[in-house]
Amino acid sequence: MSKRLWLFYCVTMLYWFSTYTYVPLLSPYVLAIGGTLSMAGVIVGSYGFSQMLIRIPLGIWSDRIGRRKPFVIGGVAMGAASSLGLALTHSVAATLMFRLLAGVAAASWVVFTVLYASYHTPDEAPKAMGVISFYTSLGQLAASTLGGIVAERFGWHAPFWLGALGGAIGIALAFGIPDKPPAADNVGIQPREMLAVGRDRIVLGVSTLAVLAQIVTFTTMFGFTTTAATLLHANKMDLSWLTLASTLPNAIASLYSGGAFSRWLGPRNVVASGFVIAMVFTAAIPFVHHLGWLYITQACNGFGQGLCMPVLMGLAIRHVEARKRATAMGFYQAIYALGMFGGPAIVGWLDDAIGIGRGFLCVAGVSALAALLTYGLAPAVHRERPVHDMKQGQA
C-alpha cells in the first residue's frame, strides 16, 4: 500500500475521531444537563441539518475550482473546533450550536470520498467506498471506546477534550495528503450540468435509500440505543462498550460489502439484506431487559447497517464522470442528511409521546420499507453500462 493511502487513512480516522468521541454519550449527556428526549433528538439530529445545507455547495465549489485538499483540511479543523467548543460549555443551547458545527465538519466528507475515489478507476468505486468506510468505522470505534473510558474516569467533558486533541493531530497530517490536480481542460461544472446531476435517476434513488439508512443509524447506534441502555442501569463505560459492539461489526461489514459481498450477491441484494438485518434487531430492542442481550442486538444491527452505506455511496458516483463527482456526492450526502436530522428529531418526539420502545418499532418499520424499496431504487449494476457523460435529464 502506498504512503499516500496510509496517510489518507490516518487523516480519515482522526477526522471522524474528532467528532465521535462523545457520540455514545451525547443523548444521556443532554438529559444530564437538563434537556428532554425531544431536545436530545434535535441535538443529535442537528448534525445532519447543517450537513444538509452545506454539502451541495461544498461539492459544487470543489468541482468548480478542481481542488479537494483545502476542503479536507478545513473539515478536520471544524471537527476539532466543534469538540473544543463542547469542552468549554455546559448549556443545552451551546451544545446544540457546537453540534451544528460538527455537522459543518462532516459536510466535507463529500470531498474526502471524491478525493479517495480519484485514486481508483470508476469501476472500483463501490469497493473503494467500502475500504474508506472501514477506516471511517475504525476511527469512530476508537473514538467511542476511548471516549467512554475517559468519561467514566474524568467526567462528561473529557471526551470533548479528547476529540479536540485528535482533531489537532489530524489537521497537521492533512497537510501531507496529495491533491488530485485538475485535468488540463477542466473548466469546472456548469449550472446546467449541476441540474442534470441533481435530477439524475440513480443519484436520487440511491439517496432516498441512504435517507432511510441514516434514519436507522442515527436513531439506534448513534442515537437512542444508549438511552435505552441507561434504563438498564448502564454507566458511561457500558455505553462505550455498547457502541463498540455495533461499530466493530459495522467496520467489518463495510470492508467487504462493496467488494466480496457485492460480487457474490450483487449490490442490491447486499443493501436489502442489510436493511432486513437492521429491521429484525431494531425491533428486538424493546423486548431486551438485560444489557448483555442489548449488546448482541447492536452487534447484529451494526453489521446490517454496515452492509448498506458503503454500497450506496459507491453506486451514487459510479456512473458519474470524474469532474462532476463532488457535485453528485454533494447531492447524495445532502439528501441523506435528511435522515440524520429528521430521524432523531421525529423519533425523539415519538419517544416522549408514546415511549422509547414503540419508537424503536417505528424505526424497524422504516428499515422494512427500505428493504422493499431497494429493488426499485438501486441500480442493477451487473446489467448496467457505466455512463461517463450524463446528459441533462438522463442517467
Side-chain angles (χ1 to χ4, degrees), residues 254-300:
S254 295
L255 182 61
Y256 295 106
S257 60
F261 292 165
S262 289
R263 288 195 303 272
W264 294 339
L265 302 175
R268 288 199 299 192
N269 290 330
V270 171
V271 173
S273 298
F275 280 126
V276 169
I277 293 170
M279 174 197 70
V280 170
F281 290 97
T282 299
I285 294 173
F287 305 100
V288 168
H289 302 292
H290 187 277
L291 197 57
W293 285 108
L294 188 61
Y295 287 156
I296 293 173
T297 67
Q298 289 314 284
C300 297

Side-chain angles (χ1 to χ4, degrees), residues 219-231:
T219 54
T220 54
M221 58 191 285
F222 295 144
F224 295 107
T225 303
T226 52
T227 302
T230 61
L231 299 177

Side-chain angles (χ1 to χ4, degrees), residues 85-222:
L86 288 167
L88 297 173
T89 187
H90 297 77
S91 75
V92 173
T95 300
L96 173 61
M97 181 180 71
F98 287 111
R99 185 60 176 164
L100 283 164
L101 185 60
V104 174
S108 70
W109 185 237
V110 172
V111 185
F112 262 89
T113 51
V114 172
L115 178 57
Y116 182 71
S118 73
Y119 302 152
H120 303 80
T121 65
D123 287 344
E124 293 176 326
K127 180 180 178 181
M129 292 303 101
V131 172
I132 199 63
S133 295
F134 170 72
Y135 286 98
T136 293
S137 296
L138 285 185
Q140 294 170 351
L141 186 154
S144 58
T145 303
L146 293 176
I149 292 172
V150 299
E152 185 66 26
R153 182 163 183 179
F154 301 108
W156 285 113
H157 281 70
F160 303 138
W161 289 108
L162 182 64
L165 176 61
I169 298 171
I171 294 169
L173 293 180
F175 281 95
I177 289 177
D179 208 346
K180 190 78 170 181
D185 60 349
N186 179 69
V187 294
I189 188 167
Q190 302 303 307
R192 189 178 69 173
E193 295 174 314
M194 294 176 198
L195 294 175
V197 170
R199 293 202 301 261
D200 180 64
R201 178 182 59 81
I202 293 177
V203 172
L204 290 175
V206 171
S207 298
T208 300
L209 294 173
V211 169
L212 301 178
Q214 294 291 15
I215 288 174
V216 177
T217 298
F218 277 81
T219 54
T220 54
M221 58 191 285
F222 295 144

Side-chain angles (χ1 to χ4, degrees), residues 319-346:
H319 67 297
V320 180
E321 62 178 299
R323 69 189 184 91
K324 301 178 185 177
R325 281 188 166 187
T327 300
M329 187 63 77
F331 276 103
Y332 166 73
Q333 294 187 7
I335 293 171
Y336 80 49
L338 284 168
M340 293 180 177
F341 169 63
I346 294 170

